[in-house]
Amino acid sequence: SQTIHQWPATLVQPVGSPLSLECTVEGTSNPNLYWYRQAAGRGLQLLFYSVGIGQISSEVPQNLSASRPQDRQFILSSKKLLLSDSGFYLCAWSPMNEQFFGPGTRLTVL
Amino acid sequence: SQQGEEDPQALSIQEGENATMNCSYKTSINNLQWYRQNSGRGLVHLILIRSNEREKHSGRLRVTLDTSKKSSSLLITASRAADTASYFCATTNTGFQKLVFGTGTRLLVSP
């Protein structure tokens, strides 16, 4: 069966520091992969999606970037975090229609 | 933007009652999905209804879709305290499967 992992679960970082969040999927190949951000009490905002290795599409201009160095690995990065980058970050994969979400990373930028 | 909006934003009911949540969207869709999110956790897919379907059932869940009104409803029958969560609708249009999520309904079921 398929499993999606995200780490870390929580992260507190100072403004201006770098960021790297990792997401890996097991039990499937060539999945579509997604990064979302969820502000407190709000819906999900799609940040990036990827249909294959090295293929990244950005949905909104921002301080973040994404990479897919391997088929089942999706990384969310920033060179310098802003206060507004705080939120709950969710990775998801999709074989077809529905999406399967990881447990999320709660990022607090101080 | 195609972002959906759920209504109500929050719903509080007693165990055993039915809970109905509504979702409206703006553009034509390929399918509409409902997801559930427990506090501080990832989302879990509940049910998918295609644009050519009008109603779908899964256990205690009933979803309807009215494409003429660009709206959907999620009914949870005989609710339980464990149903307490936030519920989101999400739509996809033709082409690549990008989900556009609504703002969610927070459901509280009291024992």
Side-chain angles (χ1 to χ4, degrees):
Chain A
S1 64
Q2 299 85 7
T3 309
I4 180 167
H5 303 279
Q6 264 187 265
W7 65 91
T10 59
L11 190 59
V12 180
Q13 292 284 100
V15 169
S17 64
L19 172 74
S20 180
L21 302 181
E22 189 161 345
C23 171
T24 60
V25 182
E26 295 177 358
T28 186
S29 58
N30 198 31
N32 294 331
L33 295 172
Y34 308 80
W35 276 111
Y36 292 89
R37 177 169 59 204
Q38 183 178 32
R42 303 293 299 278
L44 276 68
Q45 179 187 35
L46 178 62
L47 301 176
F48 302 95
Y49 65 91
S50 171
V51 299
I53 296 174
Q55 301 179 61
I56 308 296
S57 294
S58 175
E59 284 295 291
V60 293
Q62 57 203 319
N63 186 42
L64 302 169
S65 62
S67 63
R68 185 170 177 175
Q70 300 180 44
D71 181 45
R72 288 169 287 179
Q73 184 185 31
F74 205 20
I75 298 172
L76 183 69
S77 304
S78 173
K79 292 182 179 178
K80 287 185 179 182
L81 284 168
L82 306 173
L83 287 175
S84 58
D85 292 324
S86 293
F88 191 49
Y89 289 83
L90 288 157
C91 179
W93 77 275
S94 175
M96 188 68 174
N97 291 310
E98 64 265 39
Q99 293 187 10
F100 299 92
F101 286 80
T105 294
R106 185 159 304 282
L107 171 67
T108 303
V109 183
L110 301 175
Chain B
S1 162
Q2 188 179 290
Q3 184 174 28
E5 293 183 2
E6 279 92 338
D7 156 54
Q9 289 188 336
L11 180 60
S12 185
I13 60 175
Q14 298 292 121
E15 263 192 329
E17 295 179 340
N18 296 342
T20 300
M21 290 160 269
N22 303 295
C23 166
S24 61
Y25 56 92
K26 296 178 181 177
T27 64
S28 61
I29 62 170
N30 189 33
N31 63 63
L32 185 144
Q33 305 176 38
W34 284 91
Y35 287 79
R36 165 198 168 121
Q37 183 182 32
N38 284 40
S39 180
R41 306 291 295 274
L43 278 72
V44 175
H45 180 262
L46 295 176
I47 195 165
L48 179 153
I49 186 165
R50 301 186 189 283
S51 60
N52 61 354
E53 297 177 309
R54 292 297 167 257
E55 187 171 312
K56 205 162 183 180
H57 297 255
S58 176
R60 293 184 297 112
L61 305 180
R62 173 178 170 255
V63 170
T64 62
L65 179 64
D66 186 337
T67 52
S68 67
K69 295 181 179 178
K70 292 186 170 59
S71 67
S72 172
S73 68
L74 171 68
L75 168 67
I76 304 175
T77 59
S79 63
R80 306 166 182 168
D83 293 329
T84 294
S86 291
Y87 292 82
F88 295 89
C89 69
T91 56
T92 65
N93 55 17
T94 55
F96 180 71
Q97 295 299 328
K98 289 191 299 182
L99 285 176
V100 179
F101 282 85
T103 51
T105 292
R106 294 187 308 280
L107 174 66
L108 173 63
V109 182
S110 301

